[in-house]
Amino acid sequence: MEALFASAVGAMTAAGVYLLLQARTFPVVVGISFLSYAVNLFLFATGRLVNGAPPVIDAGAAVYADPLPQALVLTAIVISFAMTAILVVLALRGFLESGDDQVAAGRLGSDGKGEGP
Amino acid sequence: MNHWIVAPVLLPAVLGALIVLIARFDPVLQRRLSVLGCSLGLLLALCLFMTVLRQPALAYRLGDWPAPFGIVLVLDPLAAMMLLLSAILGLAVAGYAAGREDENGPHFHALLQFQLMGLNGAFLTGDLFNLFVFFEILLIASYGLMLHGGGEARFRNGFHYVVINLVGALVFLIGAGLIYGVTGTLNLADLALKAPLVESGDAALFRLGGICLLIVFGLKAALVPFHFWLPGTYRSTSFTSAAMFAILTKVGAYAIIRASTLVFGFGGGAAAHLFTPYLLPAALLTSGLGLLALPGARSLGTLAAFAMLGSSGTLFVGLATDESAGLAASLYYLVHSTLAGAAFYLLADRLVDRSGGRFGPQGDRILPRLAEGQGRATAAAFMLLAVMIAGLPPFSGFLGKIFILQAVLGAALAPALQGLVLAVVLLGSFFAMAGFTRAGVLLFWQPAPATDEPPPRQSVGGVWAIGGLMAALLALTVAAGPSLAFFERTANLLLAPEAYVSAVLGQHVQAPPAEEP
């Protein structure tokens, strides 16, 4: 299970970083999502991987699953979901304002104000 | 328990929601609620500040769950000082924005309140994961403030800002996860006790988690090599929002101070003084880079953004000494640079050409015409702020730099290194002076060329907000002795955090484990 888990985290991180380095906004958004999945799995693993163990005190249990990382992951999922929504809206709005979906700094003038406000 | 400790988080949270719900279509009511709330917040911050003058640390356990398991807020001198700073800044920005920036969009004041909630929460929390949560709250609000008003450049740079901070948040989670995996706790006071006990087999993981945190906090503080986002973000946002952002880089500095003294300083162990070797090079590079760019700035936004970068670097020079005197000097400089940066942004906002839309043809370019129609008071305020930011005598910028240099000369550093620090800080002051002098001469002394273009239209008023911030700076100068004494006490309490740890863990150290809600 450990090998499967670790390679899943690794593969998703690699995919996320690769997509994050693209020049267009959509791959960047997908890359951020991949990275946050990888980090969520990673956080889950910080409580150690155990199978079928109870999270709350049980007289007959010898091993416990740590419930805290699950609470942390839940919070992280909510936050990254909201952030992805903001990012999508921002990318869309940027596309509508400028007519392209490039991530690059764009036509910033020497005064740094570009052609924007 | 003192229930007022949670109020700086609750007040803006409730007020922000109220402003959205009941005052959505009533800008006047929004302004009144916002300014009233910020005034109450300032009063609250002052009361809490008075409390920490008597007591070294107070803990507030939410829901009264015992400390290492439940959520805890901690009020210590550093937190109280940062609360006071954010309250002063919040009031000035809320007051200044009334009738100006808040007319460019419907939710400026709500966003500002949520920003204050995130800031106050980040300063008060005694828990690494809640630090992450409050970081996210203040960042979400800052995305809104940064984009407020809209426009292409703002959306483009906003996208960079959001992506960089999202990646930073993920690195934060990795760091917090590593630290939790090794120590089994995220409570900062508990971490202070557990960090020295980390076994040598786990030490590498623990240090790696610490370095992840340093990267994130360095990103927030815009330390080289994580500074790329700052100039683009700050110069493309509205200056009113940027004035509030003056404290955002200081949140990174606050988090580094908190983590380096509590988790990676106290009690030794495998990860003691983890941050120290990285801080001085990063501080010198940031300071040098930021201030070196000042003479070349062609717009007020660029000038202010790089001055902010430079001050962020100078602040870390004192921290890098890893001694009480340096920490105290850095805290003094932190307060000074936040107030001075915000005041300069508000002043620059008065100079921006608004004819024909939000940004007229003159924009914020440093040209003689920009200051046309401005009175002598504006010119005098510009000069005073330039002197303060560049660190010339007799104001708080000068005193802050002197305190930092004294601490560096008194610290156990190699003489060559001390010389290098001296050279960077003093040359930085020179370049800052050159940059601000150039801007001031162009703006106020050059006669405007006669053209057919309509004169720039600028906003008027807001004097009391700028004046209030400058009065706070003057107070910091006049009361340099007492305030430095306070910062020294703060630094000593930070470097020997027994009071903090016992306030949090206290009588509950032996309590039976409770379930995490």
Side-chain angles (χ1 to χ4, degrees):
Chain A
M1 184 165 64
E2 279 83 359
L4 185 66
F5 203 92
S7 48
V9 172
M12 279 201 283
T13 310
V17 170
Y18 175 76
L19 288 171
L20 206 59
L21 299 175
Q22 301 302 303
R24 290 176 180 275
T25 50
F26 183 68
V28 171
V29 174
V30 178
I32 286 275
S33 302
F34 265 113
L35 265 184
S36 67
Y37 295 154
V39 169
N40 289 341
L41 279 185
F42 176 82
L43 268 186
F44 184 74
T46 58
R48 306 295 185 272
L49 299 171
V50 285
N51 221 340
V56 285
I57 291 181
D58 182 9
V63 187
Y64 290 102
D66 190 346
L68 188 70
Q70 304 178 15
L72 302 187
V73 170
L74 209 57
T75 316
I77 288 175
V78 173
I79 290 179
S80 68
F81 179 70
M83 290 299 187
T84 310
I86 287 188
L87 201 58
V88 169
V89 170
L90 202 56
L92 205 58
R93 193 62 199 275
F95 173 68
L96 294 176
E97 294 260 344
S98 63
D100 65 46
D101 61 348
Q102 297 289 323
V103 183
R107 300 178 298 274
L108 278 183
S110 55
D111 58 346
K113 280 296 170 196
E115 312 190 347
Chain B
M1 277 197 293
N2 183 347
H3 287 282
W4 289 105
I5 294 174
V6 75
V9 184
L10 284 184
L11 175 73
V14 172
L15 202 66
L18 265 185
I19 289 174
V20 175
L21 290 175
I22 66 168
R24 184 165 187 170
F25 302 108
D26 188 350
V28 177
L29 185 61
Q30 279 190 6
R31 280 168 209 158
R32 282 190 187 147
L33 280 176
S34 185
V35 173
L36 181 74
C38 288
S39 313
L40 282 178
L42 182 58
L43 206 65
L44 201 62
L46 271 174
C47 292
L48 293 177
F49 189 78
M50 292 314 210
T51 316
V52 295
L53 291 181
R54 294 192 304 271
Q55 280 171 291
L58 287 152
Y60 181 76
R61 295 180 297 277
L62 277 94
D64 210 13
W65 291 93
F69 306 102
I71 293 171
V72 65
L73 300 180
V74 190
L75 181 77
D76 73 334
L78 179 64
M81 179 198 108
M82 297 304 289
L83 284 180
L84 190 59
L85 195 59
S86 82
I88 292 174
L89 216 55
L91 182 59
V93 171
Y96 187 84
R100 291 184 195 77
E101 181 57 28
D102 65 359
E103 288 182 341
N104 292 338
H107 295 306
F108 184 87
H109 288 293
L111 289 167
L112 185 68
Q113 294 299 330
F114 286 127
Q115 171 93 79
L116 286 171
M117 173 204 171
L119 284 168
N120 292 346
F123 297 144
L124 280 172
T125 185
D127 186 293
L128 204 53
F129 195 77
N130 285 317
L131 188 64
F132 163 75
V133 173
F134 282 118
F135 263 31
E136 292 308 302
I137 293 174
L138 76 88
L139 283 173
I140 293 182
S142 80
Y143 302 154
L145 285 178
M146 195 254 155
L147 298 168
H148 196 259
E152 186 193 330
R154 219 165 271 186
F155 279 108
R156 226 178 246 285
N157 285 302
F159 190 80
H160 297 172
Y161 179 59
V162 175
V163 169
I164 286 168
N165 278 302
L166 281 183
V167 175
L170 297 175
V171 177
F172 195 155
L173 281 176
I174 293 175
L178 282 170
I179 288 175
Y180 179 77
V182 172
T183 60
T185 183
L186 285 168
N187 184 296
L188 288 170
D190 205 22
L191 274 174
L193 296 181
K194 296 247 169 82
L197 306 177
V198 172
E199 289 167 24
S200 57
D202 289 335
L205 280 177
F206 189 65
R207 292 169 66 90
L208 191 62
I211 292 298
C212 284
L213 294 187
L214 179 65
I215 289 174
V216 186
F217 300 155
L219 180 76
K220 306 278 184 254
L223 279 180
V224 172
F226 306 109
H227 63 287
F228 296 100
W229 60 272
L230 188 138
T233 305
Y234 279 39
R235 72 189 172 190
S236 58
T237 184
S238 75
F239 289 164
T240 318
S241 301
M244 197 62 220
F245 290 178
I247 201 169
L248 286 196
T249 53
K250 275 61 180 185
V251 179
Y254 165 83
I256 286 183
I257 294 174
R258 190 59 95 199
S260 66
T261 54
L262 210 50
V263 184
F264 303 108
F266 179 60
H273 308 292
L274 182 64
F275 293 173
T276 317
Y278 307 100
L279 285 184
L280 192 61
L284 290 180
L285 279 172
T286 315
S287 176
L289 190 81
L291 297 173
L292 198 61
L294 284 180
R298 291 206 204 163
S299 66
L300 284 171
T302 313
L303 187 74
F306 279 98
M308 196 78 89
L309 195 60
S311 78
S312 184
T314 311
L315 163 66
F316 276 95
V317 172
L319 285 187
T321 61
D322 211 14
E323 280 175 18
S324 162
L327 191 50
S330 282
L331 292 175
Y332 184 90
Y333 195 75
L334 186 153
V335 175
H336 153 79
S337 63
T338 310
L339 293 172
F344 187 75
Y345 265 115
L346 293 185
L347 188 74
D349 188 70
R350 272 170 62 93
L351 293 170
V352 176
D353 176 15
R354 287 171 204 287
S355 60
R358 287 167 198 159
F359 247 68
Q362 309 279 335
D364 64 340
R365 267 171 295 160
I366 300 173
L367 292 171
R369 284 174 56 88
L370 202 56
E372 209 177 14
Q374 292 283 345
R376 288 189 186 167
T378 310
F382 187 94
M383 195 190 84
L384 274 178
L385 280 176
V387 167
M388 285 171 177
I389 293 174
L392 298 184
F395 296 111
S396 46
F398 172 71
L399 293 174
K401 284 194 175 174
I402 286 285
F403 294 151
I404 288 178
L405 290 181
Q406 270 178 346
V408 167
L409 292 180
L413 293 171
L417 209 54
Q418 289 178 341
L420 184 67
V421 172
L422 218 60
V424 169
V425 172
L426 293 180
L427 274 177
S429 277
F430 172 74
F431 280 110
M433 193 181 68
F436 279 99
T437 310
R438 178 179 170 277
V441 166
L442 274 174
L443 283 170
F444 297 106
W445 281 356
Q446 293 269 6
T451 58
D452 297 333
E453 288 177 44
R457 194 172 66 82
Q458 287 135 340
S459 64
V460 289
V463 175
W464 67 268
I466 303 171
L469 289 176
M470 290 178 70
L473 280 165
L474 284 179
L476 195 65
T477 311
V478 173
S483 44
L484 191 65
F486 170 77
F487 294 130
E488 273 166 356
R489 175 170 170 266
T490 309
N492 288 331
L493 283 172
L494 281 169
L495 291 174
E498 285 89 356
Y500 184 101
V501 174
S502 66
V504 175
L505 299 176
Q507 63 273 35
H508 285 279
V509 174
Q510 301 301 328
E515 292 303 323
E516 184 69 20

